Amino acid sequence: MKQDPCGSVLVVGGGVAGMQAALDLADSGYRVHLVERTAAIGGAMAQLDKTFPTNDCAM
Amino acid sequence: MTLSEVVHVSGSLGNFQVTIRQKPRYVDMEKCIACGLCAEKCPKKVDDPFNAGMGKRKAAYIPYGQAVPLKYAIDPQHCIYLTRGKCRACEKFCPTGAIHFEDTERTVTVTVGAVIAAPGFEAFHPQGLDVYGYGRLRDVVTSMEYERLLASNGPHMGHLVRPSDHEEPKKIAWIQCVGSRNINRCDNPYCSSVCCMYAIKQALVTAEHLSGGDVEQAIFYMDIRSHGKEFERYYESAKEKGVRFIQARPHSLFPGDKGKGAVLEYVSRDGRPVREAFDMVVLSVGLQAPRTAQELAQALGIQLNESGFARTSAFEPVTATHPGIFVTGAFQSPKDIPQAVTEASTAACEAARALAPARGSQAREKTYPVERDVRHQEPVIGVFVCSCGINIANTVDVQAVVEYAHTLPHVALVENNLFTCSADTQNLIAQKIKEHGLNRIVIAACTPRTHEPLFQDTLREAGINPYLVEMANIRNQNAWVHQQDREKATEKAKDQVRMAVAKVALNEPLERLKVNVIQQALVIGGGIAGMNAALALADQGFPVILVEKSDRLGGNAWKLPTADTGEPVQPQLEATIRKVNAHPHITVHTRATLAQASGSVGNFQGILDVDGTQQEIRFGAAVLATGARESQPVEYLYGQDPRILTHQQLDEMLQKRPEAPAQARSVVFIQCVGSREPQRPYCSRVCCTHTVKAALRLKEANPDLDIYVLYRDMRTYGERERLYQEARRRGVLFIQYSLEDKPQVEKNGQDLCVTVTDPILGRPLKIPADYLVLAAAMEPNPAQDLVEMFKCGTNEDGFFTEAHPKLRPVDLSVDGLFVAGLCHYPKPLDESIAQAKAAAGRAGVVLAQDEMRLDAIKSFVTDKCDGCALCVDVCPYQAIRLESVEEGGRAVRRIATDPALCKGCGLCAATCPKGGVMVHGFTLNQLEAQVEAALAKAV
């Protein structure tokens, strides 16, 4: 018999892509392990001042 | 898990064992209160990587002010104790004993069903490209460094100064394609896709940073690639605001006067050598896959492509070469934030799809303490005034606002925070609520649009109702717009705080409504996007109704020979259609349209018109994938000669008459036909690559064929650049034209002739053409009926408008509606598929719950309603109806509101002449109190 899959997902990288993937999965009923290489999540977007084309604050 | 890396993965889809190495933090996360004393006392200064090496941090550090988790760490490479065995100053001063030098590396093993890899990118290192003088000339910086110089939490707190003398630069140059589109020196032949736009952004933002705004910005470029949604308008606005765009590649950089700034040498469009001095030069460095991504790929056992990004296919754009492993973000290919966020949802969807049977098996719910009943208590108000780094504090005298807030009625506590939104401040607010018995909170900071949910959650965690908070927006509505007048801005901030305090005193606890979710989806549009969305939803276990207005599924994909990766489309398309038709959870209706719709997220009702017969449907979420089409050109003699074709017509001809290229001598392509023109001011994104693919296909069939591409900017972004390079290698000639001097097409007898001004010769060229191919613009299919039914919106160009261009790129402004494919913006097949799966993933978030909570800001009827029904007509959401009710033995007319439909906009309350209908959280007495407070004078 085929084993049931595990309902957890590993997300590697805590930048904007990793965080969004983790949030979507957590909101749809999956347990998420988010692994980040540095001391905090946020990634490159946190280093940006503003974003195009709306000039919104990146933070 | 921070400071952690995946070292090994074994197992397979559904059951992977992952070994994670967690490096020591040397700080106990449970004990650290992020007070910062350790960093203050740490004697070791280190180049700050968050500030791209400009500015310093300590060896005891947090990466940045708003870091999550907001816990300090000790950098073992630089800590004096860890490297030389002496110091421990941080340990001495830490008030909570959180420093833990005995901390060791740990290895953790977790079992997961799927893996998503999002290791990101690294900026290209320009040291190797000596002509740009990076490292040699102090005022030559990378774009990432420049970004930090602009940032308010950067090394100079957002005061833009150049590195050499800390003076404000007044003349700045950007050099594009540094480390991109370069086959000679750096081996990154691809286009990094984002640099043109970020350079334009930096040029525009620079003007805001410099005193008086007097600055000259020049962008040196090869092609400006503003191929995203609303990007072309942004580019045009930069030109209008005086940013110079110079099509040239500076070949040498020399030190400027006294070693400051830099002198650029380049050759102008008309062939003249130019020397021009700039105060500062920004190198627009490209994106590349970092070394850590290669290591991760190795650990995961997935393959990379020749550029070092993860190998995927156009039809499975986020699926890596190992089942159960998905990739997203810039690791998949260089991309901007909306695309990264979209594809993050795509990857989440693919993982959810693969693990559908296990949904909910491992999830845990967040719990909140029981709410304290504050209904009959006197208000005890806490006011938290945010400095927002320098965003507010630079313009508003925050201390004066704090002192003033103390004098306001019911205010028991006032605090100032550097970043009120940071994680430690949330803990602080919760703690103060409990400590001081606060029962109403005012946050004087930024906009409730982005931050109110955060503070509401903090209130819940502190055990009070989330609706007892008010925000005074002293940043966006004050500090940002009154930078020139500190005194008046401070007075205005006091007014704003006084108004918020007056209102919050009257806030009442509100109950959020629950609605049952109909766990079924509607997908409108049966093209490649609609079908992929339907399959992704159905595979997650949700029944899907797929509605297609024509008589067959497939849409534009029927006309597309290959994807941009070269993979043939037709076999995949047919396979997709077979899967859709065979899927037990998908009901397909062709020749069908949605005739009516009502309801709201989780609970929509609609009427389908299927080939003339009507049927009722119900659904919890919908994906709109109504597509776009190739427009009909209205110039270049289109329609007057069978040899003048659009892309789709050319592809069709090559299909039917494969011998045609061999019989021709010359083919001319004209780009931007109907795009980037005043009547259609957007870039159609797909045409440059389509032309290059078609040119290669023609060259394949007849290598002697002369092919000319008349273009404005070639926009073969990302890996598509390789196709452009290949076309040039095979001898396709690319000739640039300008909007002011468009090509002319003539027909002399039987001969077609195209005349274009060659920019290098400066003279008109006459090119005979056996075929003329027009890269016609993509235009959205009309969707006005859906816009009216759902009250969602489109932009000026008729494409659906997403809820947030960066952070919610596939959500529409109406909750429960999602967008995919060409109806959102022109895009190639792989991006349509990715977006369709992202939309399915986002819809899955709604459908996965059996009941959902709605906001409590809803209209309600008071006993003053006399049933005049004035409000019924003004309600834009059809949320109000007139009813007849028994009262004291006779029938009276009253209105009734439907909370599920109500958006809390307040039109009804504004219309009602007698206070018969109001909105929770915005009742008349609350608004009156606020207005009275606004009119009162600050003392």
Side-chain angles (χ1 to χ4, degrees):
Chain A
M1 200 184 87
K2 205 183 147 202
Q3 199 190 346
D4 271 350
C6 168
S8 296
V9 179
L10 173 76
V11 177
V12 190
V16 64
M19 290 191 293
Q20 182 66 48
L23 283 170
D24 278 358
L25 282 164
D27 285 343
S28 355
Y30 296 88
R31 178 130 183 245
V32 180
H33 303 277
L34 179 60
V35 170
E36 163 60 34
R37 196 172 48 81
T38 71
I41 58 174
M45 188 170 171
Q47 286 177 281
L48 304 184
D49 175 41
K50 301 273 165 63
T51 57
F52 58 79
T54 48
N55 289 1
D56 276 342
C57 168
M59 197 53 85
Chain B
M1 278 181 270
T2 49
L3 295 169
S4 300
E5 282 170 348
V6 171
V7 285
H8 183 72
V9 177
S10 62
S12 58
L13 169 63
N15 195 357
F16 289 103
Q17 279 75 46
V18 185
T19 313
I20 297 161
R21 186 191 302 139
Q22 189 164 29
K23 294 189 187 136
R25 194 179 190 99
Y26 303 108
V27 172
D28 186 337
M29 301 246 282
E30 297 289 315
K31 291 183 183 162
C32 176
I33 55 166
C35 66
L37 264 178
C38 54
E40 198 184 310
K41 301 294 178 187
C42 174
K44 179 70 183 177
K45 282 189 177 173
V46 180
D47 284 342
D48 183 359
F50 184 75
N51 279 325
M54 300 177 300
K56 299 280 180 190
R57 66 155 163 80
K58 297 292 187 65
Y61 72 102
I62 46 166
Y64 58 102
Q66 298 97 320
V68 175
L70 197 77
K71 302 289 172 187
Y72 277 76
I74 291 171
D75 177 349
Q77 248 123 51
H78 296 98
C79 167
I80 297 174
Y81 173 67
L82 290 171
T83 53
R84 281 183 259 153
K86 264 192 184 153
C87 180
R88 305 184 84 137
C90 50
E91 197 177 33
K92 265 177 237 133
F93 288 97
C94 177
T96 60
I99 306 293
H100 180 45
F101 279 117
E102 291 70 43
D103 201 0
T104 50
E105 184 173 290
R106 265 165 292 183
T107 302
V108 186
T109 308
V110 294
T111 302
V112 296
V115 179
I116 295 175
F121 65 90
E122 67 177 10
F124 174 76
H125 310 293
Q127 285 87 346
L129 298 180
D130 46 359
V131 290
Y132 296 128
Y134 182 78
R136 179 165 54 86
L137 307 178
R138 291 189 66 192
D139 293 328
V140 175
V141 300
T142 68
S143 45
M144 195 47 125
E145 290 165 345
Y146 193 76
E147 198 73 38
R148 296 312 304 151
L149 289 172
L150 290 173
S152 61
N153 58 356
H156 302 293
M157 312 284 272
H159 299 295
L160 178 61
V161 293
R162 64 178 177 180
S164 66
D165 54 6
H166 287 206
E167 292 287 317
E168 281 194 350
K170 295 292 181 193
K171 189 175 176 194
I172 306 170
W174 279 260
I175 301 178
Q176 298 306 109
C177 300
V178 176
S180 308
R181 303 183 66 188
N182 187 334
I183 41 179
N184 298 322
R185 295 291 299 275
C186 76
D187 295 329
N188 283 350
Y190 55 84
C191 160
S192 291
S193 300
V194 297
C195 325
C196 284
M197 286 304 292
Y198 76 57
I200 297 174
K201 172 199 74 179
Q202 291 184 340
L204 286 174
V205 170
T206 296
E208 295 170 14
H209 276 258
L210 293 179
S211 43
D214 61 327
V215 59
E216 276 183 64
Q217 311 103 313
I219 297 180
F220 291 88
Y221 72 100
M222 296 206 279
D223 298 276
I224 288 293
R225 295 190 165 169
S226 49
H227 49 268
K229 194 172 185 176
E230 304 294 345
F231 290 5
E232 186 71 14
R233 282 192 178 89
Y234 196 68
Y235 172 35
E236 289 298 323
S237 81
K239 285 197 253 179
E240 277 162 28
K241 288 176 184 160
V243 177
R244 279 163 69 207
F245 287 86
I246 303 163
Q247 194 175 33
R249 207 167 166 95
H251 55 76
S252 309
L253 271 79
F254 301 101
D257 197 20
K258 297 183 190 136
K260 296 170 190 170
V263 176
L264 271 63
E265 281 190 356
Y266 61 94
V267 178
S268 70
R269 286 274 288 167
D270 50 11
R272 280 180 306 113
V274 183
R275 264 177 87 87
E276 191 173 352
F278 288 88
D279 295 340
M280 200 172 168
V281 175
V282 183
L283 305 179
S284 293
V285 289
L287 275 48
Q288 59 189 18
R291 182 187 48 81
T292 48
Q294 290 167 24
E295 290 165 7
L296 177 65
Q298 228 155 37
L300 296 176
I302 61 172
Q303 291 171 18
L304 302 177
N305 66 16
E306 51 190 334
S307 305
F309 301 108
R311 186 179 295 283
T312 58
S313 110
F315 304 97
E316 304 279 357
V318 302
T319 305
T321 51
H322 190 294
I325 298 180
F326 306 100
V327 294
T328 187
F331 182 44
Q332 192 257 10
S333 69
K335 57 174 64 75
D336 59 12
I337 296 168
Q339 194 68 21
V341 174
T342 300
E343 289 174 16
S345 292
T346 314
C349 174
E350 293 288 27
R353 216 171 156 175
L355 306 177
R359 188 175 67 219
S361 62
Q362 303 248 329
R364 292 179 298 192
E365 284 273 316
K366 183 171 179 180
T367 53
Y368 293 95
V370 180
E371 270 177 27
R372 180 154 61 90
D373 187 7
V374 303
R375 220 169 304 241
H376 304 294
Q377 292 175 0
E378 275 290 296
V380 185
I381 301 175
V383 180
F384 295 85
V385 184
C386 181
S387 296
C388 195
I390 58 156
N391 266 304
I392 294 170
N394 244 15
T395 305
V396 171
D397 181 346
V398 175
Q399 272 318 313
V401 176
V402 168
E403 279 161 35
Y404 174 70
H406 272 296
T407 66
L408 293 168
H410 304 299
V411 171
L413 174 96
V414 188
E415 296 252 337
N416 167 228
N417 326 100
L418 186 60
F419 288 103
T420 305
C421 61
S422 67
D424 64 327
T425 311
Q426 302 321 297
N427 293 336
L428 178 100
I429 295 172
Q431 188 194 326
K432 296 286 176 190
I433 289 172
K434 290 179 198 158
E435 226 172 84
H436 296 261
L438 304 175
N439 58 22
R440 305 284 190 285
I441 303 297
V442 168
I443 308 285
C446 54
T447 168
R449 227 183 117 216
T450 51
H451 281 73
E452 197 174 53
L454 172 77
F455 297 115
Q456 289 186 330
D457 199 59
T458 301
L459 265 67
R460 286 183 75 189
E461 283 178 1
I464 58 174
N465 185 278
Y467 290 94
L468 300 172
V469 63
E470 278 296 319
M471 290 184 74
N473 189 347
I474 61 169
R475 188 184 73 177
N476 311 34
Q477 294 174 353
N478 189 340
W480 278 356
V481 285
H482 302 304
Q483 282 165 9
Q484 317 302 338
D485 197 337
R486 187 174 166 86
E487 202 171 306
K488 282 191 179 157
T490 304
E491 286 313 299
K492 179 171 169 180
K494 290 179 186 175
D495 293 347
Q496 289 177 294
V497 170
R498 185 173 66 245
M499 290 166 69
V501 167
K503 186 181 173 209
V504 83
L506 299 169
N507 277 24
E508 289 289 327
L510 300 173
E511 190 70 33
R512 290 182 193 210
L513 289 164
K514 270 191 227 168
V515 285
N516 290 328
V517 175
I518 299 162
Q519 291 172 304
Q520 170 163 299
L522 172 69
V523 176
I524 304 178
I528 201 80
M531 288 194 294
N532 271 284
L535 282 169
L537 280 159
D539 282 351
Q540 289 179 71
F542 305 115
V544 180
I545 305 161
L546 177 60
V547 177
E548 164 58 38
K549 71 172 185 299
S550 76
D551 52 9
R552 68 167 179 174
L553 297 173
N556 283 307
W558 283 117
K559 298 176 187 161
L560 195 62
T562 57
D564 292 349
T565 50
E567 295 161 275
V569 171
Q570 299 313 309
Q572 287 287 342
L573 174 63
E574 285 163 24
T576 306
I577 293 173
R578 275 198 301 276
K579 268 191 228 161
V580 167
N581 283 325
H583 205 294
H585 288 330
I586 302 179
T587 313
V588 179
H589 296 287
T590 50
R591 293 171 183 269
T593 53
L594 185 68
Q596 272 181 45
S598 59
S600 57
V601 56
N603 190 357
F604 291 100
Q605 303 84 42
I607 294 177
L608 282 188
D609 183 311
V610 184
D611 213 4
T613 57
Q614 304 219 317
Q615 76 181 72
E616 278 182 35
I617 54 166
R618 299 179 72 203
F619 50 98
V623 176
L624 309 189
T626 52
R629 59 193 174 201
E630 190 180 71
S631 63
Q632 283 251 340
V634 291
E635 55 190 331
Y636 303 125
L637 303 185
Y638 181 77
Q640 298 175 34
D641 189 290
R643 294 167 297 175
I644 302 177
L645 307 164
T646 64
H647 273 148
Q648 287 185 349
Q649 288 168 332
L650 172 73
D651 290 338
E652 196 184 343
M653 182 193 80
L654 293 177
Q655 177 76 25
K656 285 188 185 147
R657 294 178 44 217
E659 74 289 356
Q663 296 163 352
R665 278 171 309 174
S666 158
V667 177
V668 178
F669 288 83
I670 301 179
Q671 300 302 107
C672 297
V673 178
S675 300
R676 304 178 64 197
E677 297 251 14
Q679 78 276 13
R680 214 183 271 119
Y682 58 90
C683 164
S684 291
R685 191 173 176 108
V686 295
C687 342
C688 281
T689 307
H690 200 138
T691 289
V692 169
K693 281 195 299 179
L696 284 171
R697 194 174 169 200
L698 290 168
K699 275 280 184 192
E700 192 75 36
N702 178 3
D704 295 330
L705 191 61
D706 290 333
I707 302 178
Y708 303 87
V709 176
L710 314 185
Y711 73 101
R712 287 171 60 194
D713 291 278
M714 282 309 288
R715 293 183 168 173
T716 44
Y717 59 96
E719 295 281 340
R720 293 161 180 83
E721 182 71 8
R722 290 179 189 274
L723 296 169
Y724 178 30
Q725 282 153 2
E726 177 67 8
R728 281 187 315 202
R729 207 178 58 76
R730 298 260 193 108
V732 176
L733 293 176
F734 290 84
I735 302 168
Q736 195 174 28
Y737 75 88
S738 70
L739 186 59
E740 295 72 38
D741 185 10
K742 287 163 72 171
Q744 302 293 320
V745 179
E746 291 164 301
K747 199 171 164 185
N748 304 317
Q750 267 316 293
D751 298 334
L752 278 179
C753 181
V754 183
T755 308
V756 62
T757 305
D758 184 288
I760 295 162
L761 303 174
R763 292 178 173 203
L765 282 184
K766 277 182 180 294
I767 310 168
D770 293 325
Y771 292 101
L772 172 62
V773 185
L774 303 180
M778 296 294 288
E779 60 184 11
N781 287 327
Q784 203 47 44
D785 48 343
L786 290 174
V787 169
E788 276 163 26
M789 259 184 258
F790 286 117
K791 310 290 176 205
C792 54
T794 58
N795 71 1
E796 291 165 66
D797 309 319
F799 296 105
F800 284 112
T801 306
E802 55 277 52
H804 188 285
K806 290 272 149 187
L807 301 177
R808 291 176 65 198
V810 296
D811 301 17
L812 290 181
S813 55
V814 176
D815 290 344
L817 295 189
F818 304 91
V819 64
L822 300 176
C823 65
H824 160 264
Y825 192 70
K827 54 177 70 69
L829 183 92
D830 52 331
E831 292 174 15
S832 273
I833 291 174
Q835 199 185 18
K837 292 175 176 180
R842 298 286 300 156
V845 171
V846 173
L847 301 179
Q849 324 165 48
D850 44 19
E851 60 178 30
M852 64 190 300
R853 295 269 179 177
L854 299 180
D855 193 9
I857 305 296
K858 302 285 179 189
S859 59
F860 65 99
V861 188
T862 74
D863 55 8
K864 297 208 174 86
C865 174
D866 64 1
C868 76
L870 276 177
C871 56
V872 174
D873 292 337
V874 297
C875 176
Y877 306 103
Q878 286 95 41
I880 306 178
R881 60 184 188 280
L882 193 60
E883 280 185 343
S884 201
V885 287
E886 271 282 306
E887 215 177 76
R890 59 196 186 93
V892 288
R893 295 202 309 166
R894 280 278 158 74
I895 58 153
T897 62
D898 182 340
L901 291 176
C902 174
K903 297 268 171 204
C905 73
L907 271 180
C908 52
T911 306
C912 179
K914 21 194 109 107
V917 58
M918 285 195 247
V919 179
H920 285 302
F922 295 87
T923 58
L924 279 183
N925 60 348
Q926 283 175 303
L927 297 179
E928 268 165 25
Q930 219 174 357
V931 172
E932 271 170 28
L935 298 175
K937 249 197 122 40
V939 222

